[in-house]
Amino acid sequence: MNILLFDNSELNDGLLTLADRRAKHIIKVLHCDCGDHIRIGEINGKVGTGTVVLIKKKFPFRVDLFVDLSDQPVPSPPVDLVLAMPRPIMLKRILSQVTALGIGTIYLINAERVEKSFWNAGILTEEEYVPHLIQGLEQAVDTRLPQIRIFRYFTFFVEEVLPGIAAHYSSLVIAHPSSEKSLLECLSGKRGRILYAVGPEGGWLEPELEKFLAAGMNSFSMGARILKVDTAVVTIHGRISQILDDTS
Amino acid sequence: MNILLFDNSELNDGLLTLADRRAKHIIKVLHCDCGDHIRIGEINGKVGTGTVVLIKKKFPFRVDLFVDLSDQPVPSPPVDLVLAMPRPIMLKRILSQVTALGIGTIYLINAERVEKSFWNAGILTEEEYVPHLIQGLEQAVDTRLPQIRIFRYFTFFVEEVLPGIAAHYSSLVIAHPSSEKSLLECLSGKRGRILYAVGPEGGWLEPELEKFLAAGMNSFSMGARILKVDTAVVTIHGRISQILDDTS
């Protein structure tokens, strides 16, 4: 935890009272005392300093912080993700990893090769997935909570939703080993948000890929190596960020 | 498993006899019969086709394959990694992920912020870590087994080993948030192998960083976001690969 996050609704006249894992973290990991300062941020808001004004180090833990927010959070790359629903245990890791790297919206969608059982996992409720997003923000010292949008019908997403949101993006890209374009060619000369799509283990079916292309996606190749979904999500994010850094 | 790998010592006059998890995979996942072909590769050798010539589908499993190797494996980026010893469970995942992405040598080294208990983990024996490398190769359809070199003394590595191997690299890079150089500036105009270093959770100490710089490493910044070690390893690999693709 590199920053302690709170929701605006928890704040009372500039005072934040904690009695959960965050209080425990301040006491057991940071070993704070009254008067100490910690890095703090409001979810979807600014970052600043929390000053410990009351601390109860024995269970039940309690920490009161006086909150002073002054700065914008770290920059986040203008990147969104379309992800075929992965195995829930992998999804948790992907959510915190891409949140740490910086992401705006994650569209979780169905595909032919997505195992049906994945859709019955508890991870798809807000209560379950938000903690993994928070974990990513706490890691990266960010406050911007990514949006999660879930689409259980591939065709509905690609035919009804994607064409509508495509206009918000300067580039929409999808990895495909047999594409002749490079990622740089797909992104070059454009400025604005980027949407990238990562398929299920085993890949998109050819008709699925064709529907993406018809909806405005551009395919690119990054070589013949086959990657697991979590590796692909992070490495493509790195590649996009590198191109954005080099052209900004 | 996108390719089935074997060691040269297992081969008998072009015939490979399997009775382990690979035989089980051929029977239970690939549902092969006699005469079927599967993608096969010799560790550190070529890839080709295995033809099933005998199959026993009931336990104890057995599959005999006639092996025909003809092609070189997929290209691998000319990249090596210096990694401060991470938590063993994370190391396993990192090993298979960077092997899938393509890596030559991984130097596992000590650092001040590495927990001492990590060095007592079973993962540091060849018997324990090779399966994670094989998993990465099986994923990416590669055959080149990465080299693992382990250095329990930071100072010995950075003062005695690193200056000796530095000449093999066209660039040696280390991420540091306050560096003013970009990764592209560190790599641009150079062709050859690249060595990148990723520190422990919490980062390198300032004196450690100075020793790396004295040994020929160049620091680069990729922004203020703090990443976990596994995320950093994969995203920097992606960034380097992107620059290499764009300048090749």
Side-chain angles (χ1 to χ4, degrees):
Chain A
M1 198 192 287
N2 296 309
I3 187 169
L4 188 143
L5 296 173
F6 64 91
D7 189 80
N8 177 271
S9 66
E10 297 180 282
L11 212 56
N12 242 320
D13 273 340
L15 202 74
L16 179 66
T17 298
L18 303 174
D20 56 8
R21 68 172 184 105
R22 294 169 295 178
K24 194 175 169 188
H25 182 84
I26 291 169
I27 293 162
K28 297 288 184 187
V29 180
L30 302 179
H31 303 292
C32 283
D33 284 309
C34 263
D36 283 349
H37 304 293
I38 61 168
R39 188 152 51 175
I40 199 165
E42 183 183 311
I43 292 172
N44 292 322
K46 288 186 173 178
V47 300
T49 305
T51 306
V52 179
V53 292
L54 182 152
I55 192 160
K56 284 186 183 164
K57 297 191 180 185
K58 291 206 172 128
F59 191 82
F61 305 120
R62 178 173 162 186
V63 178
D64 287 10
L65 295 161
F66 177 73
V67 172
D68 182 22
L69 301 179
S70 49
D71 302 315
Q72 294 301 329
V74 289
S76 186
V79 175
D80 295 338
L81 170 66
V82 171
L83 181 65
M85 179 68 187
R87 193 172 294 278
I89 194 167
M90 187 183 271
L91 177 60
K92 293 176 188 177
R93 194 164 61 238
I94 290 174
L95 290 180
S96 65
Q97 285 193 303
V98 287
T99 304
L101 290 164
I103 200 100
T105 300
I106 301 167
Y107 300 90
L108 275 176
I109 72 167
N110 198 16
E112 193 60 34
R113 291 206 175 108
V114 168
E115 279 187 34
K116 286 193 177 51
S117 64
F118 295 174
W119 289 107
N120 302 324
I123 182 71
L124 291 172
T125 65
E126 206 170 344
E127 208 172 29
E128 282 292 324
Y129 67 68
V130 167
H132 301 284
L133 305 176
I134 296 282
Q135 207 179 310
L137 295 178
E138 288 173 345
Q139 173 64 39
V141 197
D142 195 357
T143 67
R144 300 179 208 85
L145 200 64
Q147 302 259 339
I148 306 286
R149 297 188 60 191
I150 297 169
F151 296 92
R152 289 188 179 224
Y153 297 96
F154 175 84
T155 306
F156 176 74
F157 175 76
V158 81
E159 289 184 357
E160 306 291 327
V161 180
L162 188 54
I165 60 175
H168 305 320
Y169 296 99
S170 65
S171 300
L172 302 93
V173 294
I174 187 164
H176 196 258
S178 70
S179 174
E180 285 175 10
K181 268 193 178 171
S182 71
L183 182 59
L184 182 65
E185 286 173 290
C186 288
L187 302 191
S188 71
K190 293 172 182 168
R191 277 170 166 265
R193 290 199 76 78
I194 293 162
L195 182 68
Y196 76 106
V198 174
E201 300 292 343
W204 307 106
L205 299 185
E206 205 56 39
E208 290 174 336
L209 189 73
E210 277 162 25
K211 285 194 173 175
F212 276 121
L213 300 181
M217 285 248 172
N218 290 290
S219 71
F220 70 95
S221 166
M222 46 176 197
R225 309 181 74 89
I226 304 171
L227 300 176
K228 280 181 99 86
V229 171
D230 52 351
T231 314
V233 166
V234 174
T235 200
I236 298 173
H237 193 291
R239 283 170 172 265
I240 292 171
S241 299
Q242 185 59 37
I243 293 174
L244 292 174
D245 286 357
D246 293 343
T247 54
S248 65
Chain B
M1 199 193 285
N2 295 309
I3 188 169
L4 187 143
L5 296 174
F6 64 91
D7 188 81
N8 177 270
S9 67
E10 295 180 282
L11 212 54
N12 241 321
D13 272 340
L15 202 74
L16 180 65
T17 297
L18 303 174
D20 57 7
R21 68 171 184 107
R22 294 169 296 177
K24 194 175 170 188
H25 183 83
I26 291 170
I27 293 162
K28 296 288 184 188
V29 180
L30 302 180
H31 303 294
C32 283
D33 284 309
C34 262
D36 283 350
H37 304 293
I38 62 168
R39 189 151 50 176
I40 199 165
E42 181 183 311
I43 293 171
N44 292 321
K46 288 186 173 177
V47 300
T49 305
T51 306
V52 179
V53 292
L54 182 151
I55 192 158
K56 284 186 184 164
K57 296 191 180 185
K58 291 205 174 129
F59 191 82
F61 306 119
R62 178 173 160 187
V63 178
D64 287 9
L65 295 162
F66 177 73
V67 173
D68 181 23
L69 301 180
S70 49
D71 301 316
Q72 294 299 330
V74 290
S76 185
V79 175
D80 296 336
L81 170 65
V82 171
L83 181 64
M85 179 67 186
R87 193 172 294 278
I89 194 167
M90 186 183 272
L91 177 59
K92 292 176 189 177
R93 195 164 61 239
I94 291 174
L95 290 181
S96 64
Q97 285 192 304
V98 285
T99 303
L101 290 164
I103 199 100
T105 300
I106 301 167
Y107 300 90
L108 274 177
I109 72 166
N110 198 16
E112 194 61 34
R113 290 206 176 108
V114 168
E115 278 187 36
K116 284 193 178 50
S117 64
F118 295 173
W119 289 107
N120 302 324
I123 182 71
L124 291 172
T125 64
E126 207 170 337
E127 206 171 30
E128 282 291 324
Y129 66 69
V130 167
H132 301 284
L133 305 176
I134 295 282
Q135 208 180 309
L137 295 178
E138 287 172 345
Q139 173 65 38
V141 198
D142 195 357
T143 67
R144 300 180 208 83
L145 200 66
Q147 301 259 339
I148 305 287
R149 296 188 60 190
I150 298 169
F151 296 93
R152 288 187 181 225
Y153 296 98
F154 175 85
T155 306
F156 176 74
F157 175 76
V158 81
E159 291 184 355
E160 306 290 327
V161 179
L162 188 55
I165 60 175
H168 305 319
Y169 296 99
S170 65
S171 300
L172 302 93
V173 294
I174 188 164
H176 196 258
S178 69
S179 174
E180 285 175 11
K181 268 194 180 169
S182 72
L183 182 58
L184 181 65
E185 286 173 291
C186 288
L187 302 190
S188 70
K190 293 172 182 168
R191 277 171 166 262
R193 290 199 76 77
I194 293 161
L195 181 67
Y196 76 106
V198 174
E201 300 292 341
W204 307 106
L205 298 185
E206 206 55 40
E208 290 174 335
L209 189 73
E210 277 162 23
K211 286 192 173 176
F212 275 121
L213 300 182
M217 285 248 172
N218 290 290
S219 72
F220 70 96
S221 167
M222 46 175 197
R225 308 181 75 89
I226 304 172
L227 300 176
K228 280 182 99 88
V229 172
D230 52 352
T231 314
V233 167
V234 174
T235 200
I236 298 174
H237 193 291
R239 284 170 172 265
I240 293 172
S241 299
Q242 185 60 37
I243 293 174
L244 292 176
D245 285 358
D246 293 343
T247 52
S248 65

